Structure formats: structure tokens, C-alpha cells
Amino acid sequence: MQPTHHDILVRKLRVHSELAPADEELLRQLPLRPRRLKPSEDLVREGDEPHVSAVIVEGWLGRYQTLPRGGRQYLSMHMAGDWPDAQGLFLKRLDHAVCALGGATVATVPHEYLRAMFDRSRPVVEALWRETLIDAAIFRQAITNNSSRTAAQRLAHLLCELFYRAKQSGLIAGPSLDLPLKQEQLGEALGLALVSVNRAVRALRASGAADLRHETLTVFDWPKLATWADFDPAYLHI
Amino acid sequence: MQPTHHDILVRKLRVHSELAPADEELLRQLPLRPRRLKPSEDLVREGDEPHVSAVIVEGWLGRYQTLPRGGRQYLSMHMAGDWPDAQGLFLKRLDHAVCALGGATVATVPHEYLRAMFDRSRPVVEALWRETLIDAAIFRQAITNNSSRTAAQRLAHLLCELFYRAKQSGLIAGPSLDLPLKQEQLGEALGLALVSVNRAVRALRASGAADLRHETLTVFDWPKLATWADFDPAYLHI
DNA sequence: CGGAATGTTGATATGCCTCAACTAAAGTGG
DNA sequence: CCACTTTAGTTGAGGCATATCAACATTCCG
């Protein structure tokens, strides 16, 4: 049987938080409204004052800020179960946009229902708060990644993170992962020019540790990849 | 009269959150225990599992991660009123350390008291949650800063942020701000070599927009500085 | 006053960016 | 299904911002 939107939501929170049956029941009572996003369609834009939050049901979304000359800085990538705009609950205006990377489906829920749920269960508050704190840890790691590593290491580290998170969320079984990221977007995430990303991808391919092509990431040698990238998953708090 | 530790705590939260008198009263009942930190002393270390949080009373602290070769990546800088380890409440193991920049004083409070307070006031929960969300916004901006700007712009943007935050927190009146940051630490924050920081500092000085020397930041021409750095304070959500 | 830490400056090296051309893959209409 | 167009990926050459190396000046601090 297909997992419902509520299954996806609850399973993801259980990755890092303990929920009592009563808490799960509260979450399952949330009115979730599906919304389909076309490739590169924005879920929310910088400056928006949203009154709903969204949990990703299927596909990938990316957070980004728009640069003065029109380019983008991607901040983080998100997959099924993530809440890419949870901070909208308590920050009035969004300081960044969120867009679909390939096609994607989200399930939206009005803030008022979330707030009402918070009054009824502190564990649920903690679980969602923790979700936003793990986001922050991902941002911290991105600062370190983009500030202190070489082009190839940056790419490898990002791929390690996405692969590891996807695996922990139960999205993959084998060595491969659907990842609808163009090399240009990788560059905008890693602070690299498109040409440098391409060279890093080819170096990765040549090393035999992993490959990224046709929107698929395949990891052949995880220890090699993780060592090369200096990847330590502790920051994901799973 | 000197502001008490509780004054500092409450005032800072009021910068971004509305608190009813009853909420403030709860905050003022927290048992705060002062702790003095020597210059560069660690408040907490990577891997710690703290059972207390700390609010800064006086001085500056910096978050950092340790790099494989022993260097540091500073992630954010914090001043009086900030909670540099609030995430320790819900993330078991810290993924980064926090150290004093110059000498500093913090006030610690056991997590159990904070948790007890959360049961009694949702506005207090929201205020502290919002505090951690603004931290995350600062991290996001650091990603963009270190990934997409030139050396001089990075420096200018960081100084804009620190100056603006200090002003909003009521820490400064005139054009100057005590900022005990060495050029080496600025480099470790901005992903730049020490020599490049020095050249950026001198360029800033030569431009007449601001100066940074003897642990003092002086802003002579705020519009010029902010324009040069592409600084927009919206992300600080004040 | 002396030694250590911090800041300054020049010369050289290098990793990444820019520009430019081409190839391959994906999407589209006949 | 093919011809065509568009998008994405690949490769080389050259330039530039920043890193690295090295020396010296200044400030801090006991």
C-alpha cells in the first residue's frame, strides 16, 4: 500500500524524535492538502508572508537566495518528509525562496492547525523544533563546506549528505538515488562556476567512488567518498 | 542601575518577540548562574552533551567547527543577549564548539528549568524557537556571503551584520563598537587567508566607509558600507 | 624592557573563473 | 519516427582573485 501523506510526515519525524501514539494521532489529524509543483516552480518566494507550511511528499525542493546580478545561491536541498518552510511559522517574512528541483509534490497545512496542535502536545513541538534545528546544522555544515574545501571535496560532501539523508529517510535501497540537480544548480549551491562543477563531477567519476549523470547519483565506494569529502554524519543528528 | 542578567535576556527576546508581563515574569524566575570566560576559552566543545544553556551577559562568543588540519571555521559571532547554544536543548550532541572571543560573561540555566517554563507559556516557547530560527537565517546569509562575494565584500557584510545587530540590541550609541576579533579569526569566519583579510581591511579603511583596528569597529559611512556589501537586514527579522 | 602576538607588505604560485567552441542528450513538432 | 531546436554537458586556453611564502613593523603584555 502506498504510504499516505501523513505516513511520510510521521516517519520522518520518528527518524530523530520519539513520538507517543497520542502524538502521532495528533499529527495524523492535520488537514494536509496536496499541491503539485512543476520543475523549477517556486513553492514560496523571498519576502512572502505564508500562512501555510508544507511537507514534501515526493521529489526534491531547494532553498535559495537571489543574488544581485540575478544568479542564485542554493542553501539546502530537501527530500520527502522534509519541511522546507517550517521557519515560516515564526518568522513573518521569508528571507529565501523554495523551488521544486524536478517535479515534486508537497502537502500543505495551515499554520493555525499547527499552532493548535502545539497547545496539545509538547513532544510534537519538540519534534518540529528539532527539525528546524537540524536544518540549521545543515546550514552550518554548508558554511564550512563552501568556505574551507576544494571544489571536488565540496561536491563530494554535498553528495554524501544527500545520499546519507535519503538513506536514513528510507528513500533508497541500492547504491543509486534520483537527484534532479543540474550541474549549474550544483555550482549555485557550492559557490562554484559551472565549468568547475563539471570538472569536479568528472574527477569523481574517474576516481570510481561515485557517479552523477542523467539525474542519478550512484555511490560505488562509500568509505572512499566519505573519506575524500571529510564527511561525518554526526551533524545530521540521526 | 546596571541591567541584571534577566534584564538582558528579556530585552533581547523583546527585539523580535512580544512577551506578556506574565511571560516576562516566568523568564525572570529562571535561575541564572554567572560564568566568566577568559579570552578564547571554550564555553562548550564539539561532541558535548550539555544540560545547561547560556545567555551572553557581556562580551563576544563565536561558534566554530574544527577543520581536519587543525584550523577553525567560525560560523557566527554572538553578543550580549544571544543564546549561542540554545540548540543544545533539543540536539543531544553539539556539532560545533562555542568560545569566548575576548573575555566574556555568560549566565547559565539548566535545561530542566527551561523545559518546565515551556509547559507554562507558549509565547516563551515561540520566542526561544524564533531566536534559533534567526540564528539559522544568519547561517543562511553566511553561506551566501562566503560563497558568492569577493573578499572585501565578505568582510564588509560581516561587519554590517555585527554592527546592525549590536545597534538593535542597544549595545552601541555612536559609530563605534568593541569587537575583539583578530584578523586571523575574521579569515576563519570568511573562508579567507589571513593576508587577504588584511588587504580587505586596508581597502575598507582606504574607502573611508569604516575602519577596524585595536579591536574597535568604526562605521563612518553606513550607506556606503551597506551598499558595497549588498547588506539587507531583512534576514535578521528585527 | 624584552618577547610574543598581531598586523603589514611584496613576490610568486595556483585553483578557480571566464570565454569560447563543441558534443551529447532531451524535448518538440511535423 | 525523424528533423530540428533547446538544454545540458564537455573540453581547452588564458586571466584573475586569492593562497602561499617570506620578511618586517607594530602593538600588546608581562
Side-chain angles (χ1 to χ4, degrees):
Chain A
M1 202 179 82
Q2 279 288 319
T4 66
H5 300 172
H6 290 96
D7 289 338
I8 289 166
L9 189 170
V10 169
R11 279 183 201 170
K12 171 63 192 305
L13 292 178
R14 276 203 299 231
V15 169
H16 55 67
S17 296
E18 283 186 30
L19 295 171
D23 300 321
E24 293 196 9
E25 191 47 42
L26 277 176
L27 287 163
R28 288 181 186 283
Q29 284 166 10
L30 285 174
L32 294 179
R33 188 151 166 271
R35 176 175 166 194
R36 180 73 194 167
L37 296 167
K38 287 196 268 283
S40 84
E41 182 179 349
D42 282 328
L43 169 66
V44 289
R45 292 208 166 86
E46 209 166 324
D48 279 0
E49 299 184 4
H51 61 279
V52 301
S53 274
V55 59
I56 304 178
V57 171
E58 181 270 324
W60 290 81
L61 276 71
R63 301 187 213 237
Y64 68 93
Q65 291 179 335
T66 302
L67 302 175
R69 288 179 203 163
R72 288 181 177 187
Q73 176 66 50
Y74 279 93
L75 303 163
S76 59
M77 305 300 173
H78 295 279
M79 64 196 79
D82 290 351
W83 290 73
D85 63 349
Q87 81 285 352
L89 256 168
F90 297 116
L91 296 181
K92 206 174 170 216
R93 289 177 154 268
L94 293 181
D95 55 65
H96 61 276
V98 179
C99 71
L101 294 170
T105 308
V106 301
T108 62
V109 54
H111 285 169
E112 54 194 299
Y113 285 91
L114 291 171
R115 290 180 201 278
M117 182 172 61
F118 293 161
D119 285 331
R120 300 180 59 191
S121 165
R122 209 188 66 188
V124 168
V125 172
E126 291 194 12
L128 276 180
W129 192 342
R130 185 173 289 116
E131 181 84 10
T132 65
L133 291 173
I134 292 173
D135 269 354
I138 289 171
F139 295 139
R140 287 193 286 272
Q141 200 56 229
I143 296 171
T144 297
N145 200 37
N146 290 8
S147 304
S148 77
R149 297 197 179 100
T150 65
Q153 285 181 308
R154 285 186 211 183
L155 174 65
H157 195 281
L158 177 60
L159 297 180
C160 278
E161 178 190 305
L162 298 181
F163 193 81
Y164 190 92
R165 284 168 55 199
K167 196 152 198 167
Q168 295 301 321
S169 294
L171 297 180
I172 44 175
S176 289
L177 169 65
D178 278 357
L179 193 61
L181 280 172
K182 311 296 180 200
Q183 292 186 353
E184 175 153 25
Q185 293 171 315
L186 284 168
E188 290 170 332
L190 299 169
L192 293 171
L194 167 59
V195 177
S196 300
V197 173
N198 183 270
R199 281 170 184 144
V201 169
R202 317 222 79 231
L204 195 66
R205 194 175 290 159
S207 79
D211 197 2
L212 180 61
R213 63 202 312 173
H214 309 312
E215 308 202 334
T216 303
L217 167 65
T218 308
V219 176
F220 300 114
D221 187 341
W222 173 258
K224 186 174 182 177
L225 185 65
T227 303
W228 194 29
D230 182 37
F231 178 77
D232 175 354
Y235 72 96
L236 295 170
H237 299 274
I238 293 173
Chain B
M1 200 178 83
Q2 279 289 317
T4 66
H5 299 171
H6 290 97
D7 289 337
I8 290 165
L9 189 170
V10 169
R11 279 184 201 171
K12 171 62 194 304
L13 292 178
R14 276 203 298 231
V15 169
H16 54 66
S17 295
E18 283 185 30
L19 295 171
D23 300 322
E24 293 196 8
E25 192 46 43
L26 278 176
L27 287 163
R28 287 182 187 281
Q29 284 166 10
L30 284 174
L32 295 179
R33 186 151 168 270
R35 177 175 166 195
R36 180 72 194 166
L37 296 167
K38 286 195 269 285
S40 84
E41 183 180 349
D42 282 327
L43 170 66
V44 289
R45 292 209 166 85
E46 206 166 326
D48 278 1
E49 299 184 6
H51 61 282
V52 301
S53 275
V55 58
I56 302 177
V57 171
E58 181 269 324
W60 290 81
L61 276 71
R63 299 186 213 239
Y64 69 93
Q65 292 179 334
T66 302
L67 302 174
R69 287 176 204 165
R72 288 181 178 187
Q73 176 66 51
Y74 280 93
L75 303 163
S76 58
M77 305 300 173
H78 295 278
M79 64 196 79
D82 289 352
W83 291 72
D85 62 349
Q87 82 285 351
L89 257 168
F90 297 117
L91 296 181
K92 206 175 170 216
R93 290 176 154 270
L94 293 182
D95 56 65
H96 62 277
V98 180
C99 70
L101 295 170
T105 307
V106 301
T108 62
V109 53
H111 285 168
E112 56 195 296
Y113 286 90
L114 291 170
R115 290 180 200 278
M117 184 174 59
F118 293 161
D119 285 331
R120 299 180 60 192
S121 165
R122 210 189 63 189
V124 169
V125 171
E126 290 193 11
L128 276 180
W129 192 341
R130 185 172 290 116
E131 180 85 10
T132 65
L133 291 173
I134 292 173
D135 269 354
I138 290 171
F139 295 138
R140 286 193 286 272
Q141 201 55 228
I143 296 172
T144 297
N145 200 37
N146 291 6
S147 304
S148 77
R149 297 197 179 101
T150 66
Q153 284 181 308
R154 285 185 211 183
L155 174 65
H157 195 279
L158 177 61
L159 297 180
C160 279
E161 178 190 305
L162 297 182
F163 192 81
Y164 189 92
R165 283 168 54 200
K167 196 152 200 169
Q168 295 301 320
S169 293
L171 297 179
I172 44 175
S176 289
L177 170 64
D178 278 357
L179 194 60
L181 279 172
K182 311 297 178 199
Q183 291 185 355
E184 175 153 24
Q185 294 171 315
L186 285 168
E188 289 170 332
L190 300 169
L192 293 171
L194 167 59
V195 176
S196 300
V197 173
N198 183 269
R199 283 173 182 142
V201 168
R202 317 221 81 232
L204 195 65
R205 194 174 293 159
S207 80
D211 196 3
L212 180 61
R213 62 200 318 171
H214 309 310
E215 308 203 332
T216 303
L217 167 65
T218 308
V219 175
F220 300 114
D221 187 342
W222 173 257
K224 185 174 183 177
L225 185 66
T227 304
W228 195 28
D230 182 36
F231 178 76
D232 175 355
Y235 72 96
L236 294 170
H237 299 274
I238 293 172

